[in-house]
């Protein structure tokens, strides 16, 4: 069964993909981690604080947002 996964780079969500989680998959751009989207309310550009398991939505584009 396919699920939504979040593509995270420098703690920012840079992509959202649909994937079964087991078939080999390589995201085409550099990234740090893929995590399953169990929250279903996050968007590209949101900040992920992994230590807390919390997402934050910036009001503007942060200066440290990773380039595309």
């Amino acid at each position: 069964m396919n699920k939504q996964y979040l593509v995270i780079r420098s703690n920012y969500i840079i992509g959202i993909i649909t994937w079964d989680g087991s078939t080999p998959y390589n995201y085409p751009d550099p990234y740090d981690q893929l995590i399953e989207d169990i929250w279903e309310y996050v968007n590209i550009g949101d900040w992920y604080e992994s230590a807390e398991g919390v997402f934050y939505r910036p009001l503007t584009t942060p200066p440290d947002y990773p380039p595309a």
Side-chain angles (χ1 to χ4, degrees), residues 3-34:
K3 299 176 183 177
Q4 294 286 101
Y5 282 80
L6 306 172
V7 182
I8 299 177
R9 180 175 178 202
S10 300
N11 289 36
Y12 287 101
I13 298 172
I14 61 167
I16 300 174
I17 61 168
T18 302
W19 178 41
D20 64 12
S22 60
T23 306
Y25 177 79
N26 287 322
Y27 190 74
D29 296 324
Y31 67 94
D32 298 324
Q33 61 181 328
L34 289 174

Side-chain angles (χ1 to χ4, degrees), residues 41-57:
Y41 63 83
V42 296
N43 292 306
I44 293 174
D46 289 355
W47 168 267
Y48 178 56
E49 180 52 58
S50 59
E52 300 170 358
V54 175
F55 289 91
Y56 297 96
R57 183 160 298 145

